[in-house]
Each structure stands twice: as C-alpha cells, then as structure tokens.
Amino acid sequence: MKLKFYIFLLALTIPLIAFSQITRPCTIYLKSGEVISEMRGTYNNKNFKYYKKVGDSYNKIKIELLDSVLLTEESGSITKLRFLPVIGDKKLQIVEQIVIGKLELYQQITNNQYNTDYQYFIRDKNQEKLTKIETSRFGSNKTKSILFPFIEDCPELVNKIENDFFKVIPDITLIIGTYNITCGLNKN
C-alpha cells in the first residue's frame, strides 16, 4: 500500500518538476496593452502557459492575443519573442527578435536529434507580415532575391553581397545591422 502511495506521489511530482525546468522567468505583453510580470512561462504553437510559482496551476493565453514575451535566461540575457504573421502562412509564427531598426530580423530555432536549424525572417518596420528567408540553399540566388528588395536602396551593401564579402545566411545579422546603421537611418 505504501509503495502505491509513493508511486502516486512521484507521478504527481515529475510533471511539476519537468514543467518548472522548461519554464523561464518572463514578462508578458498583450496586444490589449496589459502587462503580466513576474511569471514563469513556456509555449507551444497555440498557447503561452505561465504561472507565478512552482506548484501553482498554470494559465494559458492564446498566442493570437500576445504582442511579445520577454524571457530571462539563466545567464541573465533577455530573449524577446514575437508572435507574428508570415507571408504565405496561415498561422502565427513564434520568432525571436534579433535585430531592430528600419529592417527587423527574426529567427526561429528548431532542435532535432542531429542538429540545430535556424530559420530567418525579415520585414520592414512598417510591414505587418514577415518574409521568410530561405535557408536551405546557403548563398543561393533565391536567398539573395528575397533579401535584395529590402536593401536595394543601399547599393554598396548589395555590391558587397554580390562580391561575396558577405554570405547571405551566415552573415544575415551583420547584413541587416549594417543596413540599419548605414542606409536605414536615412529612411526613418
């Protein structure tokens, strides 16, 4: 009888411990303007789940209602998640904001058994939807043809990419940052 009771307690405790380990301290910003702070949270493709302290039941918010979430990593660094539409996709994508300015760059990280994949998205700050940058063909003309309309008003940068000074995917953060500093500031 005691063994069954201990197994029962263990079965109840493991999900709480597992959920607390994958959650991180966060501040949640809703599209309505409301801010929910001092929480711990995690997410899936439909909901963001959060709670105040370990052992509390969690609350769910549909990602359609979220503007952004700031997650605090163990190292103290802050990750800003956005929940944005993508051209050609029906559902919102959960993306990490990595560069802001005239052009905004976002990434989505997918871990699988063998490696980590990065998917990049770009948009002009005045656009609602993101444009997916193809990452399957590193430096391909298709990748350049997606990127070039965003930076065509910066011929020096386009020239550096054409002459392979910058490789589109490995240097995407540097390319967008360079654009924002050199050409994007004049457009604001």
Side-chain angles (χ1 to χ4, degrees), residues 33-74:
E34 184 182 351
V35 178
I36 303 169
S37 58
E38 297 182 22
M39 296 290 165
R40 295 189 63 81
T42 189
Y43 59 92
N44 60 30
N45 289 334
K46 295 181 181 179
N47 298 299
F48 189 86
K49 299 177 183 180
Y50 67 95
Y51 62 93
K52 186 76 171 170
K53 62 183 185 211
V54 176
D56 287 353
S57 60
Y58 63 86
N59 299 304
K60 285 197 255 186
I61 302 174
K62 291 187 179 296
I63 64 169
E64 293 85 13
L65 302 175
L66 297 170
D67 178 58
S68 62
V69 173
L70 298 179
L71 296 171
T72 304
E73 307 296 335
E74 285 183 24

Side-chain angles (χ1 to χ4, degrees), residues 6-183:
Y6 287 124
I7 292 173
F8 176 74
L9 281 178
L10 185 63
L12 285 177
T13 307
I14 289 175
L16 287 176
I17 293 170
F19 186 68
S20 67
Q21 289 175 343
I22 60 171
T23 62
R24 293 175 274 182
C26 64
T27 303
I28 305 163
Y29 296 88
L30 301 175
K31 289 181 180 175
S32 67
E34 184 182 351
V35 178
I36 303 169
S37 58
E38 297 182 22
M39 296 290 165
R40 295 189 63 81
T42 189
Y43 59 92
N44 60 30
N45 289 334
K46 295 181 181 179
N47 298 299
F48 189 86
K49 299 177 183 180
Y50 67 95
Y51 62 93
K52 186 76 171 170
K53 62 183 185 211
V54 176
D56 287 353
S57 60
Y58 63 86
N59 299 304
K60 285 197 255 186
I61 302 174
K62 291 187 179 296
I63 64 169
E64 293 85 13
L65 302 175
L66 297 170
D67 178 58
S68 62
V69 173
L70 298 179
L71 296 171
T72 304
E73 307 296 335
E74 285 183 24
S75 65
S77 66
I78 295 176
T79 300
K80 184 174 187 177
L81 295 179
R82 299 291 312 270
F83 306 85
L84 300 169
V86 175
I87 294 171
D89 285 353
K90 292 182 180 179
K91 65 179 187 164
L92 294 177
Q93 294 294 317
I94 301 170
V95 292
E96 178 184 346
Q97 185 173 6
I98 55 175
V99 177
I100 58 172
K102 166 93 171 74
L103 290 182
E104 298 175 345
L105 182 67
Y106 299 87
Q107 75 179 358
Q108 196 174 59
I109 302 171
T110 307
N111 294 310
N112 62 36
Q113 185 176 358
Y114 302 106
N115 60 4
T116 302
D117 293 324
Y118 295 87
Q119 178 63 62
Y120 294 98
F121 303 86
I122 189 172
R123 76 172 178 181
D124 185 280
K125 74 175 184 176
N126 298 319
Q127 292 177 317
E128 179 186 347
K129 292 188 174 188
L130 300 173
T131 300
K132 186 184 229 180
I133 299 175
E134 296 294 328
T135 57
S136 58
R137 293 179 218 109
F138 283 43
S140 74
N141 287 334
K142 184 172 183 178
T143 303
K144 289 179 182 179
S145 69
I146 294 168
L147 179 62
F148 282 178
F150 288 98
I151 63 171
E152 66 189 358
D153 58 339
C154 198
E156 189 175 313
L157 184 57
V158 170
N159 190 29
K160 286 183 177 184
I161 295 168
E162 287 289 357
N163 292 325
D164 292 329
F165 182 79
F166 289 125
K167 302 287 185 204
V168 175
I169 296 304
D171 296 328
I172 191 68
T173 304
L174 185 58
I175 291 168
I176 302 304
T178 300
Y179 174 86
N180 285 337
I181 291 170
T182 59
C183 301

